[in-house]
Amino acid sequence: QVQLVESGGGLVQAGGSLRLSCAASGRTDLMYAMGWFRQAPGKEREFVAAISDSGRRTYYADSVEGRFTISRDSTLNTMYLQMNSLKPEDTAVYYCAAKRTYYSENYHTEGYEYAYWGQGTQVTVSS
């Protein structure tokens, strides 16, 4: 029902910043909770941040709390992840995900809850 495309990844030095974008197309008239996940080489996919359909509620993994900010612009059908004070351990492929919802204030932190995924964008942080 919805297609997701990430952009904004790249190579950055430790302490630097990047902003990832996730553009949604298709049935964007429906409500979706959304989130960001990441997967480093040899590691399992992990939760990064989540946001409700309304955009008013957000939740972060402890490892990124205070450094990353998730947001969304419903008029542009786009979600963002502002990443500041990046560390080498943030290096991973970052994926955006969407979950159809009927509750505008719910967010979700488990990958299995999400039905729609983007193709991923690589973020590499050099030390």
Side-chain angles (χ1 to χ4, degrees), residues 94-117:
Y94 283 71
Y95 299 90
C96 67
K99 170 183 166 52
R100 179 83 168 90
T101 185
Y102 298 91
Y103 303 99
S104 63
E105 305 304 324
N106 282 9
Y107 58 77
H108 302 274
T109 63
E110 298 292 341
Y112 70 82
E113 297 181 279
Y114 289 86
Y116 307 101
W117 293 83

Side-chain angles (χ1 to χ4, degrees), residues 13 37 71 104:
Q13 288 188 331
F37 292 79
S71 62
S104 63

